[in-house]
Amino acid sequence: MSDILHFPVIVIGAGGAGLTAALAASDLGADVLVLERDTVPMGSTAMSTGLIPAAGTPEQAEKGIEDSPERFAADVMAKTKGKTDPDIALKLGQESAETITWLRDKHSIPLSLIGGFLYPGHTAMRMYGTPLRTGGELMASLQTACEAADIPVLTDATVTRLASEKGKVTLVEYTRPDGVTESVSCDAVILACSGFGGNADMVREWIPEMAEGFYHGHPGNKGDAIRWGQELGAKLSDMSAYQGHGGLAAGHGIPILWPLIMEGGFQVNREGKRFSNEASGYSEQAAKINGQPGQVAWSIYDERLHTLMLDFDDYQDALKAGAVQSAPTIQELAAKANLPADALEATLSNVMALNAGETTDEFGRDFTGKIPLAGPYYCAKVVGALFHTQGGLSVDGDARVLAEDGSPLPNLYAAGGAARGISGDGADGYLAGNGLLTATSFGKLAGRAAAEQVLNEN
């Protein structure tokens, strides 16, 4: 064992959760090694919009936005219909503001409060993002921070095994591209290698409603953390939970984001008819679209909402890719989209009546208070997709992985997609930003707790 390289803390996965955990552990003085299977660290974070919710921040107070960790936790419990751990939801809410401040002020991650609209389920504007509103930009900032902190990130290192003694992880084995297996010993391990969306067999077992759906996530999400945790006796929770998205541009793989829906846009099927309450959430909308003829839908909006969306890099990419169509009238838009003009016109008229409060929506959506759509009109053909699994290893408030009996495993931590999230047990409990909230706040908590453990032991 003496000839083997040793790092007190090993982080498996160099996505948002892993790099955040590494920064937190390094801040307390622990030597950290990050192992990443890809040549360039990306993870699920790079494929996201990079938005993180935080409650009770100074920036909110400056803008007169009333918010608190308790209010955020209440939003989480409402969205999940009470099907998540209230203590963990509150803990993450309590940590969220400090996470943003720490990342921004200590590590120069350019996070700022985003205004203008509410995401489904949120009762306060609390979303933070980087200037371009992309996960790639967030990942680049985290990598720069790790470089500045001299944290080694070993890429092209696919972890294959965790060796343990009496439940305590003592050794991590990984394979290099040339097939050579190497080992490094450790005092604590943080699993930050995401969920299992890229493992078709696991998706079929745990999330059968998305087994045939489109997967728009990192291909490396194979469920390794779940498997290793189970081998060590960890408890799994909410394995049927996931983040879906009902706005992935068909044939392009680019998210058409939800502000255009929340501010008055709507979706129709190929018959030109609405089929759901789109505002209930973009996650649960994925399965609803998959239940429509051809498993497709069209997001319908106007020039005002098109202008709103120009602030998002993903939308700019969708425009460049030709995923968005426009026309002066709704009849001409229908012709471009190959939708029945009479049906689409009737749907728009019904939505305008809902805007005016003249009728009640059969799907339960409230359009009152939203500005009616007006020409020119826009549309994007979309599919429902699985973005990320939300179930995983059960953890406590310090991100320690829990055994079946609820006791913490000796030196194993989990964050991000490796850990159970706060999205309940399905798709409808996902609250926008939950993925990166658990990545960053659980990553921070895991890094700090792991560092404190090894420093106290040594």
Side-chain angles (χ1 to χ4, degrees):
M1 184 73 71
S2 59
D3 294 332
I4 294 177
L5 186 67
H6 178 83
F7 273 86
V9 178
I10 293 178
V11 179
I12 302 176
L19 297 186
T20 302
L23 289 168
S26 177
D27 281 355
L28 294 188
D31 288 331
V32 188
L33 172 66
V34 183
L35 298 174
E36 168 56 46
R37 68 188 300 161
D38 290 346
T39 301
V40 178
M42 290 178 58
S44 298
T45 299
M47 303 183 72
S48 74
T49 54
L51 301 183
I52 309 167
T57 67
E59 294 80 18
Q60 287 177 309
E62 288 173 7
K63 294 182 179 296
I65 299 171
E66 294 184 10
D67 199 12
S68 67
E70 291 76 17
R71 181 170 180 169
F72 172 76
D75 288 351
V76 170
M77 299 310 295
K79 192 71 167 68
T80 62
K81 300 178 177 64
K83 295 179 180 179
T84 193
D85 187 325
D87 294 332
I88 294 296
L90 180 58
K91 174 70 172 182
L92 290 173
Q94 291 168 336
E95 293 290 334
S96 62
E98 196 269 339
T99 297
I100 295 296
T101 299
W102 166 68
L103 286 172
R104 185 186 58 220
D105 297 350
K106 173 69 176 177
H107 293 293
S108 302
I109 310 300
L111 296 168
S112 61
L113 181 64
I114 299 171
F117 50 84
L118 286 174
Y119 280 87
H122 289 280
T123 61
M125 291 183 186
R126 57 170 71 106
M127 211 67 76
Y128 280 74
T130 55
L132 295 178
R133 316 284 196 257
T134 68
E137 185 179 33
L138 176 60
M139 277 299 300
S141 299
L142 288 169
Q143 289 178 60
T144 299
C146 285
E147 291 168 3
D150 293 323
I151 296 171
V153 179
L154 183 61
T155 58
D156 290 319
T158 302
V159 174
T160 53
R161 187 172 78 94
L162 306 185
S164 63
E165 295 178 6
K166 297 180 180 179
K168 184 174 183 178
V169 182
T170 57
L171 193 77
V172 176
E173 290 185 356
Y174 56 92
T175 302
R176 305 292 278 161
D178 59 6
V180 173
T181 296
E182 299 175 359
S183 301
V184 56
S185 63
C186 60
D187 299 313
V189 169
I190 300 171
L191 299 176
C193 41
S194 211
F196 60 90
N199 185 322
D201 290 337
M202 290 183 74
V203 172
R204 193 171 296 109
E205 176 183 0
W206 295 107
I207 314 174
E209 68 179 295
M210 293 302 291
E212 305 304 321
F214 185 86
Y215 175 56
H216 183 73
H218 192 276
N221 295 352
K222 299 296 186 182
D224 294 325
I226 306 296
R227 176 169 54 83
W228 296 324
Q230 284 186 293
E231 290 171 356
L232 292 165
K235 178 182 179 181
L236 304 183
S237 296
D238 294 337
M239 293 295 286
S240 55
Y242 68 95
Q243 176 198 354
H245 203 288
L248 193 70
H252 299 282
I254 302 170
I256 306 293
L257 303 176
W258 228 237
L260 68 84
I261 296 294
M262 299 307 295
E263 291 303 306
F266 58 89
Q267 288 190 330
V268 299
N269 57 23
R270 60 174 37 175
E271 296 172 352
K273 299 177 181 179
R274 289 180 59 236
F275 52 91
S276 67
N277 177 357
E278 309 92 333
S280 62
Y282 57 78
S283 182
E284 55 264 52
Q285 191 72 2
K288 295 173 184 175
I289 290 176
N290 290 340
Q292 297 307 301
Q295 297 184 308
V296 294
W298 282 258
S299 293
I300 308 295
Y301 54 110
D302 65 0
E303 182 81 24
R304 173 180 63 88
L305 297 175
H306 163 75
T307 301
L308 171 69
M309 296 302 295
L310 291 175
D311 285 341
F312 293 87
D313 238 31
D314 282 330
Y315 187 71
Q316 296 278 6
D317 290 341
L319 292 175
K320 294 172 185 175
V324 175
Q325 295 177 301
S326 64
T329 68
I330 200 68
Q331 294 86 355
E332 291 173 275
L333 186 73
K336 281 192 173 183
N338 197 28
L339 293 170
D342 290 347
L344 184 58
E345 186 174 17
T347 298
L348 177 61
S349 295
N350 180 252
V351 169
M352 294 181 73
L354 293 169
N355 287 138
E358 296 170 357
T359 185
T360 301
D361 183 30
E362 62 179 305
F363 304 111
R365 181 174 173 183
D366 182 5
F367 278 91
T368 60
K370 303 301 181 185
I371 300 172
L373 301 188
Y377 298 96
Y378 289 73
C379 75
K381 185 179 180 181
V382 297
V383 297
L386 169 63
F387 270 25
H388 195 263
T389 56
Q390 288 288 297
L393 303 172
S394 294
V395 295
D396 65 10
D398 290 319
R400 297 182 299 179
V401 176
L402 302 178
E404 288 285 356
D405 63 3
S407 63
L409 296 179
N411 66 339
L412 189 65
Y413 301 81
R420 174 201 188 187
I422 50 171
S423 298
D425 59 3
D428 60 347
Y430 185 81
L431 201 63
N434 269 3
L436 278 176
L437 173 67
T438 57
T440 54
S441 282
F442 264 149
K444 178 192 71 176
L445 291 167
R448 289 176 179 175
E452 289 172 356
Q453 177 181 349
V454 302
L455 292 172
N456 288 335
E457 290 176 351
N458 296 325

